């Protein structure tokens, strides 16, 4: 007897055969028809029970959410809506589900309610589709780097440095919080802590990836990162995943080429392999937008957005040129932007980035050569002394998708920048040594994985694209 998934059975060329399948009951109607799902597909497979010859106690236990093991015949469907169904010969209840208390009933639930039941929300079509897409994207990312000669490295989760200079980090300590040892100045004495110094959860694996790129050539990290930013918006998480490639001997232009090729490749992969999930989520968005005013509706549907990125060359524009475009734009002159652009040096907001992509250039945009004072210390200073070789990639509907740069490879310039920002040289002695022993041009970028999953799925809240979100006052599950 063949054991197969729902997805395999629904795609198989029809032939009558013995079937052995396990899954969860989505619905059970007329004491006869089970809609069975095992997570392999959006679609359920119909299992037809011979209720007259099935024990009544067993029938009562076939409820929404129950886990069952079914043996029977795969036959051509007698009803509408499916090509095949299973004629049940034997059913075993593996796990009961109380219909009075099971939260995920066959009805529409709010996303807020489902976040409160995150352990069960993938029993719904929306979240099973989102998480299958997340899995496919992860695989596509590893596949791309593997096929392009990159080595995968695991950077430390516990770190003594703050790569971004943001200062919003989670402290890691084994000291007694009620009675920590103190220095003569009354400060906590971290020399007596587990690592002998103050340590935190990492915000980025970039600095360590740079070290490995300067010996292995091409590396990437793909792991969890943490930020203790007390922000409860739909775009912030305290724990999220980052993709960070670093490449030796690659300049800013090469970095742009890599990022564009990478993004197009992974988006193509999900289009080819998760079409059913994408079409379902696209329809969900279309239904949602019907209640919005016409002006607030998206110009592109979900799949067209992916094609918009895949099929268009990314337009490369300097920050200075972008500022001039924005200053002269109608929304800026008519004060329609929430943040008016008035002078060079302003940090761009999502509304400005989306205007450039969706209204002005009508294609994905790569902005480069940003003012040095709004970017990180490790970005290479340009000859003008005012700008750095940074680049951001802007997408429709979301704004910034990727941030990267050519890294500062000159020891004297890097030291000067660190001094100006009060970054301790002793803390990053090893990072500076990379510039002493065989320094060379090198570049890389960072991509917040959940932001990419939001773009691909059309979900509007970042909490809905990670299995168990970590946000302020929320570390459940």
């Amino acid at each position: 007897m063949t054991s197969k998934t729902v997805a395999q059975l629904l795609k198989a060329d029809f032939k009558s055969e013995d079937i052995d399948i396990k899954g969860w009951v989505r619905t059970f109607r007329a004491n006869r028809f089970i809609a069975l799902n095992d997570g392999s597909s959006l679609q359920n497979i119909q299992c037809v029970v011979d209720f007259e010859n099935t024990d009544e106690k067993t029938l009562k236990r076939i409820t929404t959410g129950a886990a069952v093991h079914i043996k029977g015949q795969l036959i051509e469907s007698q009803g509408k809506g499916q090509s095949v169904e299973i004629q049940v010969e034997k059913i075993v209840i593996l796990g009961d589900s109380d219909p009075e208390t099971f939260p995920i009933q066959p009805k529409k639930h709010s996303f807020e309610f489902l976040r409160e039941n995150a352990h069960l929300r993938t029993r719904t079509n929306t979240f099973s589709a989102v998480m299958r897409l997340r899995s496919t994207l992860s695989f596509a990312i590893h596949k791309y780097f593997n096929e392009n000669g990159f080595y995968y490295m695991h950077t430390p989760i516990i770190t003594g440095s703050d790569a971004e200079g943001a200062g919003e980090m989670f402290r890691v300590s084994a000291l007694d919080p009620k009675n920590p040892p103190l220095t003569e100045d009354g400060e906590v004495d971290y020399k007596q802590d587990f690592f002998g110094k103050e340590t935190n959860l990492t915000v980025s694996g970039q600095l360590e990836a740079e070290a490995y790129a300067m010996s292995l050539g091409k590396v990437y990290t793909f792991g969890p990162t943490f930020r203790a930013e007390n922000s409860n918006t739909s775009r912030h998480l305290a724990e999220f995943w980052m993709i960070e490639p670093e490449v030796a001997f690659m300049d800013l232009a090469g970095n742009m080429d890599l990022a564009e090729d990478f993004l197009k490749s992974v988006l193509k992969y999900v289009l080819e392999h998760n079409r059913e999930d994408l079409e379902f989520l696209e329809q969900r968005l279309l239904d949602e937008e019907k209640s919005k005013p016409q002006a607030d509706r998206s110009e592109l549907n979900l799949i067209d957005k992916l094609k918009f990125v895949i099929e268009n060359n990314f337009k490369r524009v300097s920050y200075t040129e972008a500022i001039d475009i924005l200053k002269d734009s109608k929304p800026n002159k008519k004060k329609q932007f929430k943040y008016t652009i008035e002078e060079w040096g302003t940090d761009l907001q999502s509304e400005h980035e989306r205007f450039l992509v969706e209204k002005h250039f009508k294609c994905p945009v790569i902005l480069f050569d940003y003012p040095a004072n709004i970017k990180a210390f490790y970005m290479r200073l340009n000859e003008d002394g005012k700008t750095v070789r940074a680049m951001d990639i802007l997408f429709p509907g979301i704004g910034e998708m990727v941030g990267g740069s050519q890294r500062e490879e000159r020891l004297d310039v890097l030291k000067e920048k660190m001094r100006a920002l009060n970054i301790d040289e002793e803390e990053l002695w090893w990072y500076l040594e990379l510039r002493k022993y065989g320094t060379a041009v090198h570049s890389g970028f960072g991509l917040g994985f959940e932001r990419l999953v939001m773009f691909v799925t059309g979900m509007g809240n970042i909490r809905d694209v990670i299995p168990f979100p970590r946000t302020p006052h929320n570390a459940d599950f």
Side-chain angles (χ1 to χ4, degrees):
M1 189 174 285
T2 311
S3 182
K4 288 186 175 175
T5 65
V6 169
Q8 288 171 327
L9 292 178
L10 293 175
K11 286 176 185 172
D13 292 332
F14 169 71
K15 60 176 181 176
S16 182
E17 60 176 309
D18 292 336
I19 289 299
D20 182 308
I21 193 165
K22 300 179 181 80
W24 293 273
V25 176
R26 284 286 177 90
T27 60
F28 183 43
R29 59 187 176 83
N31 233 20
R32 191 176 180 197
F33 301 107
I34 298 172
L36 191 74
N37 193 285
D38 64 357
S40 64
S41 170
L42 268 176
Q43 305 302 318
N44 307 318
I45 193 162
Q46 180 164 281
C47 306
V48 184
V49 179
D50 179 1
F51 66 92
E52 291 175 345
N53 294 305
T54 302
D55 181 59
E56 195 173 325
K57 287 181 182 175
T58 300
L59 289 173
K60 284 182 178 175
R61 293 173 67 194
I62 304 172
T63 58
T64 297
V68 297
H69 181 186
I70 287 172
K71 294 182 180 182
Q73 285 283 320
L74 184 70
I75 61 168
E76 196 169 354
S77 180
Q78 307 302 304
K80 293 177 182 177
Q82 65 276 327
S83 58
V84 294
E85 61 189 23
I86 297 171
Q87 196 73 48
V88 177
E89 292 170 356
K90 184 180 179 183
I91 182 165
V92 177
I93 311 297
L94 301 174
D96 291 285
S97 177
D98 183 351
E100 298 299 317
T101 59
F102 180 56
I104 314 299
Q105 291 298 321
K107 63 176 185 178
K108 192 173 177 66
H109 296 288
S110 72
F111 285 168
E112 190 58 51
F113 172 82
L114 291 171
R115 278 176 221 133
E116 291 165 6
N117 292 278
H119 59 308
L120 294 169
R121 65 179 176 172
T122 41
R123 302 276 186 100
T124 67
N125 278 344
T126 297
F127 284 94
S128 65
V130 167
M131 294 307 163
R132 275 191 296 270
L133 279 159
R134 184 183 170 103
S135 175
T136 300
L137 277 167
S138 297
F139 177 79
I141 287 160
H142 287 298
K143 181 175 183 287
Y144 176 85
F145 286 125
N146 185 260
E147 290 175 354
N148 285 276
F150 283 74
Y151 298 105
Y152 179 36
M153 69 169 293
H154 301 112
T155 51
I157 287 173
I158 299 171
T159 179
S161 62
D162 178 0
E164 297 295 325
E168 295 160 331
M169 302 177 80
F170 289 103
R171 185 169 295 139
V172 175
S173 176
L175 296 176
D176 181 351
K178 291 183 179 176
N179 189 29
L182 302 176
T183 64
E184 289 179 4
D185 300 332
E187 300 293 322
V188 175
D189 186 3
Y190 286 105
K191 286 183 179 176
Q192 295 187 49
D193 207 346
F194 186 91
F195 292 106
K197 62 189 286 190
E198 192 171 352
T199 53
N200 305 284
L201 295 179
T202 186
V203 298
S204 169
Q206 179 204 312
L207 304 190
E208 293 86 354
E210 279 188 57
Y212 267 55
M214 296 308 285
S215 54
L216 294 177
K218 298 201 287 190
V219 302
Y220 75 103
T221 77
F222 184 3
T225 50
F226 309 85
R227 188 157 295 177
E229 186 177 354
N230 190 14
S231 178
N232 244 323
T233 75
S234 61
R235 295 180 71 165
H236 287 90
L237 289 169
E239 176 184 304
F240 53 99
W241 287 66
M242 285 287 288
I243 301 130
E244 297 174 296
E246 289 290 328
V247 184
F249 316 116
M250 185 174 75
D251 63 9
L252 185 63
N255 202 22
M256 293 184 204
D257 291 341
L258 172 66
E260 180 172 348
D261 189 59
F262 164 73
L263 287 165
K264 287 180 174 179
S265 174
V266 297
L267 294 181
K268 270 183 199 167
Y269 191 87
V270 293
L271 259 182
E272 289 167 8
H273 291 83
N274 287 65
R275 191 75 184 207
E276 179 187 58
D277 290 322
L278 287 168
E279 286 173 354
F280 170 81
L281 291 170
E282 178 174 273
Q283 189 57 53
R284 185 196 75 78
L285 274 178
L286 289 171
D287 292 343
E288 191 180 81
E289 291 213 325
K290 284 175 186 173
S291 61
K292 294 181 182 177
Q294 192 67 42
D296 294 343
R297 296 181 192 179
S298 176
E299 289 182 22
L300 296 170
N301 65 33
L302 185 61
I303 290 172
D304 285 341
K305 255 186 208 170
L306 303 189
K307 289 180 176 176
F308 177 88
V309 173
I310 294 165
E311 294 169 3
N312 281 299
N313 291 326
F314 293 13
K315 177 74 176 174
R316 301 182 184 190
V317 184
S318 74
Y319 167 90
T320 301
E321 186 185 340
I323 284 290
D324 290 340
I325 290 166
L326 289 164
K327 272 165 64 176
D328 291 339
S329 69
K330 263 189 196 172
N332 199 59
K333 287 178 175 177
K334 293 187 173 181
K335 309 285 185 190
Q336 290 168 346
F337 284 143
K338 187 178 175 186
Y339 300 93
T340 306
I341 298 285
E342 291 175 354
E343 58 184 25
W344 190 92
T346 307
D347 207 354
L348 300 185
Q349 303 295 323
S350 180
E351 60 180 342
H352 309 134
E353 295 167 343
R354 289 186 60 183
F355 173 82
L356 292 169
V357 173
E358 297 166 29
K359 305 295 182 189
H360 189 81
F361 290 109
K362 298 190 184 298
C363 65
V365 173
I366 308 181
L367 293 186
F368 63 91
D369 286 355
Y370 278 80
N373 63 353
I374 61 171
K375 289 295 183 181
F377 77 95
Y378 50 72
M379 298 184 176
R380 195 190 199 278
L381 193 64
N382 281 318
E383 285 62 36
D384 61 13
K386 295 193 307 177
T387 61
V388 287
R389 289 183 193 169
M391 65 100 174
D392 287 346
I393 299 182
L394 315 180
F395 270 20
I398 205 159
E400 184 193 333
M401 180 60 71
V402 163
S405 70
Q406 186 175 318
R407 313 311 190 187
E408 184 55 78
E409 85 281 10
R410 299 165 296 184
L411 181 61
D412 56 336
V413 178
L414 186 59
K415 277 186 167 185
E416 195 178 312
K417 289 176 81 174
M418 287 171 68
R419 272 195 298 273
L421 293 165
N422 294 316
I423 296 170
D424 187 357
E425 283 187 28
E426 287 183 21
E427 197 64 60
L428 288 175
W429 64 270
W430 58 272
Y431 188 69
L432 290 168
E433 281 201 353
L434 296 173
R435 278 76 181 163
K436 280 173 69 176
Y437 307 123
T439 191
V441 166
H442 60 289
S443 301
F445 63 81
L447 166 61
F449 183 50
E450 281 72 29
R451 189 164 283 197
L452 180 63
V453 181
M454 283 178 76
F455 179 75
V456 168
T457 60
M459 300 299 279
N461 194 314
I462 201 164
R463 295 170 177 83
D464 297 328
V465 297
I466 192 166
F468 298 106
R470 298 289 180 254
T471 53
H473 305 290
N474 175 30
D476 291 337
F477 308 104

